[in-house]
Amino acid sequence: MKTDLLVIKDELRKYAKTISKLFSMDVGICDKNLIRITGSGPQKIGEKIKGRANKKTLETKETTVILNPREDEICNGCSEKKCCLEVLEISTPIMYEGKIIGLISLVSFDENQKKRVLENLKNYLDFVEQMAELISVRFIEYNENLEKTERENILSTILNTIQKGVLRFNSAGIITSANNFALKKIDLDSSVVGKKLNLSFQNDFLMEEEVYKLEVEEKELNVLGKILPFEAFGKNEKIFIFDDMTKVNDGIRGLVETSNSVSLKNIIGESQFTNLLKERIKHVAPSKSTVLITGESGTGKELVARALHYHSSRRNAPFVVINCAAIPESLLESELFGYVRGAFTGADKNGRMGKFELANGGVIFLDEIGDMPLYLQAKILRVLQERKVTRVGSNRNIELDIRIIAATNVDLEKKIAEKEFREDLYYRLKVIPFEIAPLRDRKEDILPITRNLIKKYNKITEKYISFIDIEVEKLFLKYSWPGNIRELENVVEFMFNLSDNSDILSLSTIPDKLLENKSISNAFKKSDEKFEDNLEIEEFHEIEKRYIKKALELFGKDTEAKKNIANKMGIGLTTLYRKIQKYKL
């Protein structure tokens, strides 16, 4: 807030001239410190105005009139009393918020002037007080305009720093201001101010905001926003705060998509199958065609889908995963296609985007598609054909630019024969088929995958295992791995949890399931010949139980004895405790 009258000196000059003409007296308008701002007479601008009337007015905040300078008691003590030439002094305060911000000082040196003023003194004083009030009002207006401008500038600065569009418009829909973000998104310059704005609610919600169609001149776009009342600066307007649909969609995608990048180097293996698989991924990745990946559970179907995405032109676009078997049938349609407000009981009040919409521009991976209900298969078929999706409860089509990759571990042709899967959808999906071989049919991949898993769990567990026991390798290569790579990873993680501080993945930590067909002579050290002979004719678990029981009788049951037994058996102490508990010893 400005408190110096100097800011309106141009207007003060006009007022001083008017007063001077009317009174035929010297006029001075000064600030609260009696520094002359403007006026008539011999005194210069910037000098301090003299006169006892002015000092008295500063004290009383009232108009002061000295009719007889030198003789009036107010003049007592004045150093210039004897040489004073003034015959009349009038001083009127200029007030603002109860404080003096300046004075109007009138001085006469002529008796005829004085006589003329005194003949109609009351009217003259009324006039000068009105002029003082007018100056005060003008000063208030100046400050209000200044405040308004400052607030406008501050508001504009704030609005231009936020990453949302802001449009102010009046009751006629005419835009009165727009921030930089809004201009950028509408692709217009500041000339948009004064143009007509059309906002059409699309009866759709997302992230608790309404979807609008925004139109200015020939520009048109769908945005998320809210219309709010805006009463400020003496105007009754509205503001529209909006965000770019693409930006919001990207933010939502970031919450739902799994963004782990998977390239060909993440597909581990040395088998002929794996090498051919990598070559095929290279050739197919740039295509936009739909892919169907089949194979047993745990073979790495999602890994292949991610590699296809990574090596395509959609690499930086979303990769959205939906497991068709993991979502309840009643929710699957709304998860895939989204819904609008009020589409069904329990629906989010603001509606929700579906996975297809979230994947727009990128890839949607439909895992376990063989478990999708028949009625939804028809809708998926329509999406494949038309490349459009409609939210549940809405009639607005949303254009899609996506690549669909589906995967299943069931025999879809068998499901077709059983009338559980649509034949037309099957052939729509099977444009580019990938069949992933089980781990038992590509044994050359087992050890490379195991070594890669060891690196992974070394980081997770902060252990430093560098080698695999030769017996462990033999067991891994002989085992059929019905759970494929997923089972292999579970076994490696299990062994890491049971391993001591050794740098080798040893046989002592192998799960019992893999040991069931292994000769005990390859698993344990022998203590006498008679016991060794029995190993060849007795069942594994019974011999192991007898061995541990005998060892406990020979060495004892305290902690040190058990450590000794574990060392002789080539197993960890934790494993020995587990076996003692298992055999109730």
Side-chain angles (χ1 to χ4, degrees):
M1 174 67 67
K2 300 287 185 180
T3 58
D4 191 343
L5 280 175
L6 193 62
V7 295
I8 56 169
K9 63 181 180 179
D10 291 338
E11 284 98 293
L12 294 181
R13 189 178 298 115
K14 296 176 184 178
Y15 299 144
K17 189 175 181 180
T18 301
I19 297 170
S20 179
K21 283 183 178 181
L22 179 66
F23 281 74
S24 298
M25 296 173 66
D26 289 347
V27 178
I29 299 178
C30 63
D31 64 15
K32 62 184 178 181
N33 297 314
L34 300 182
I35 303 300
R36 184 183 177 93
I37 297 172
T38 188
S40 62
Q43 272 196 291
K44 296 179 180 179
I45 305 302
E47 290 183 350
K48 194 164 186 177
I49 290 179
K50 300 176 181 179
R52 287 297 220 176
N54 296 323
K55 292 182 180 179
K56 183 69 174 180
T57 298
L58 288 177
E59 294 173 3
T60 63
K61 297 182 181 179
E62 294 178 354
T63 296
T64 303
V65 179
I66 300 179
L67 298 176
N68 298 299
R70 297 180 303 281
E71 298 176 9
D72 196 297
E73 63 178 13
I74 295 175
C75 297
N76 291 338
C78 178
S79 61
E80 298 182 1
K81 181 176 180 180
K82 292 181 179 180
C83 59
C84 179
L85 300 176
E86 298 173 1
V87 296
L88 177 65
E89 286 185 27
I90 299 173
S91 180
T92 299
I94 302 170
M95 305 295 293
Y96 176 69
E97 294 184 345
K99 296 180 180 179
I100 292 179
I101 58 172
L103 298 173
I104 299 175
S105 176
L106 300 170
V107 178
S108 176
F109 298 92
D110 186 275
E111 289 291 345
N112 291 328
Q113 288 178 345
K114 174 181 177 180
K115 183 178 179 181
R116 189 167 53 253
V117 171
L118 292 179
E119 286 174 353
N120 203 2
L121 181 62
K122 183 178 184 307
N123 289 336
Y124 275 105
L125 292 180
D126 287 344
F127 177 79
V128 77
E129 286 176 355
Q130 287 175 8
M131 293 300 290
E133 187 175 342
L134 184 61
I135 291 172
S136 179
V137 169
R138 182 65 190 93
F139 183 69
I140 291 170
E141 288 176 353
Y142 174 86
N143 275 298
E144 287 179 346
N145 289 333
L146 182 64
E147 283 184 356
K148 177 183 175 182
T149 302
E150 288 177 348
R151 288 198 300 268
E152 288 268 18
N153 291 336
I154 292 169
L155 178 62
S156 178
T157 301
I158 293 171
L159 294 181
N160 282 322
T161 59
I162 65 175
Q163 293 303 301
K164 284 196 175 187
V166 181
L167 295 173
R168 273 171 52 195
F169 58 96
N170 59 26
S171 57
I174 303 301
I175 297 172
T176 56
S177 73
N179 73 344
N180 291 338
F181 187 93
L183 295 177
K184 181 179 178 181
K185 290 305 168 185
I186 302 172
D187 192 22
L188 290 171
D189 56 28
S190 57
S191 64
V192 72
V193 175
K195 305 295 184 183
K196 175 74 172 178
L197 171 67
N198 290 315
L199 291 173
S200 306
F201 177 48
Q202 300 297 293
N203 193 30
D204 206 351
F205 291 80
L206 181 64
M207 296 292 284
E208 299 186 1
E209 293 194 81
E210 300 165 338
V211 178
Y212 284 89
K213 180 188 287 184
L214 185 156
E215 297 174 275
V216 180
E217 294 189 312
E218 296 179 356
K219 304 290 183 178
E220 179 182 308
L221 65 155
N222 286 325
V223 295
L224 291 178
K226 289 182 179 179
I227 298 174
L228 301 172
F230 186 75
E231 296 181 11
F233 314 131
K235 297 177 182 178
N236 186 8
E237 298 181 330
K238 292 182 180 179
I239 59 172
F240 181 56
I241 302 175
F242 68 92
D243 214 340
D244 187 357
M245 285 281 284
T246 304
K247 178 185 173 185
V248 174
N249 290 352
D250 289 344
I252 299 172
R253 287 172 187 145
L255 297 175
V256 298
E257 67 177 89
T258 44
S259 56
N260 297 330
S261 295
V262 172
S263 65
L264 290 175
K265 68 179 182 180
N266 299 109
I267 299 178
I268 309 299
E270 299 171 359
S271 67
Q272 183 181 7
F273 170 83
T274 300
N275 290 331
L276 290 173
L277 176 66
K278 290 180 181 180
E279 286 298 317
R280 194 173 184 199
I281 289 172
K282 281 183 187 178
H283 285 94
V284 170
S287 169
K288 294 182 180 180
S289 299
T290 303
V291 174
L292 177 63
I293 306 171
T294 58
E296 293 179 7
S297 180
T299 50
K301 296 185 289 296
E302 184 172 335
L303 204 65
V304 172
R306 288 184 179 278
L308 286 167
H309 172 249
Y310 181 86
H311 291 281
S312 73
S313 60
R314 299 171 185 261
R315 173 178 177 176
N316 296 318
F319 181 88
V320 178
V321 179
I322 186 162
N323 189 318
C324 300
I327 299 174
E329 184 176 326
S330 59
L331 298 178
L332 190 55
E333 182 175 4
S334 61
E335 283 290 325
L336 286 172
F337 306 124
Y339 57 85
V340 296
R341 180 168 65 174
F344 53 86
T345 303
D348 189 301
K349 66 177 181 178
N350 297 303
R352 183 177 296 176
M353 292 177 73
K355 294 295 196 294
F356 274 99
E357 199 174 341
L358 290 169
N360 214 351
V363 173
I364 187 166
F365 178 54
L366 302 174
D367 199 10
E368 308 297 352
I369 197 168
D371 297 306
M372 179 175 285
L374 273 170
Y375 82 95
L376 269 182
Q377 292 176 27
K379 295 193 175 187
I380 293 292
L381 180 63
R382 190 178 71 248
V383 172
L384 282 167
Q385 291 171 336
E386 300 177 2
R387 298 291 163 167
K388 294 179 181 178
V389 70
T390 305
R391 291 189 188 179
V392 177
S394 174
N395 55 10
R396 184 170 68 92
N397 289 328
I398 299 167
E399 299 285 340
L400 294 179
D401 172 25
I402 58 173
R403 185 180 194 180
I404 296 175
I405 301 178
T408 184
N409 61 0
V410 301
D411 186 342
L412 290 182
E413 292 184 358
K414 183 181 178 182
K415 280 219 164 195
I416 291 169
E418 295 171 349
K419 306 296 183 185
E420 293 181 358
F421 201 85
R422 293 180 64 105
E423 186 175 14
D424 48 3
L425 176 59
Y426 173 67
Y427 288 110
R428 275 282 181 180
L429 293 172
K430 196 180 178 182
V431 178
I432 302 177
F434 276 82
E435 186 172 354
I436 313 301
L439 198 54
R440 61 182 173 275
D441 292 343
R442 45 188 175 109
K443 290 187 179 292
E444 298 93 334
D445 293 344
I446 293 174
L447 295 183
I449 292 173
T450 303
R451 294 188 188 98
N452 187 64
L453 290 170
I454 288 173
K455 291 179 183 177
K456 173 182 175 179
Y457 284 99
N458 272 334
K459 291 180 181 178
I460 293 174
T461 63
E462 296 184 353
K463 294 186 178 181
Y464 304 96
I465 292 175
S466 305
F467 307 100
I468 309 173
D469 188 294
I470 188 66
E471 292 297 325
V472 172
E473 288 186 355
K474 289 178 182 178
L475 272 179
F476 277 16
L477 292 172
K478 287 181 180 179
Y479 187 61
S480 62
W481 299 108
N484 294 292
I485 298 171
R486 188 176 295 122
E487 184 183 10
L488 174 58
E489 180 167 1
N490 288 344
V491 168
V492 171
E493 184 178 0
F494 175 85
M495 295 174 74
F496 259 81
N497 279 285
L498 291 185
S499 65
D500 297 323
N501 294 322
S502 171
D503 64 347
I504 187 168
L505 210 60
S506 68
L507 197 66
S508 63
T509 58
I510 283 279
D512 291 343
K513 184 177 181 180
L514 273 72
L515 278 172
E516 285 177 355
N517 299 318
K518 176 70 179 171
S519 171
I520 193 68
S521 60
N522 295 326
F524 303 109
K525 295 179 180 179
K526 289 50 171 202
S527 61
D528 59 39
E529 194 66 29
K530 182 178 180 181
F531 190 67
E532 184 176 332
D533 292 340
N534 289 336
L535 290 177
E536 299 177 358
I537 58 174
E538 295 190 43
E539 293 293 330
F540 173 82
H541 292 301
E542 184 60 32
I543 291 176
E544 184 178 54
K545 179 180 177 180
R546 287 175 55 195
Y547 185 96
I548 295 172
K549 183 178 180 181
K550 181 178 179 181
L552 290 170
E553 291 172 353
L554 289 172
F555 297 106
K557 296 184 178 181
D558 58 22
T559 302
E560 287 302 317
K562 289 174 182 175
K563 285 182 180 179
N564 192 14
I565 296 169
N567 288 334
K568 288 182 176 294
M569 293 178 67
I571 62 175
L573 183 60
T574 305
T575 304
L576 178 62
Y577 275 115
R578 181 164 54 85
K579 293 180 181 295
I580 289 172
Q581 186 177 14
K582 175 181 176 182
Y583 297 128
K584 299 180 181 179
L585 297 175

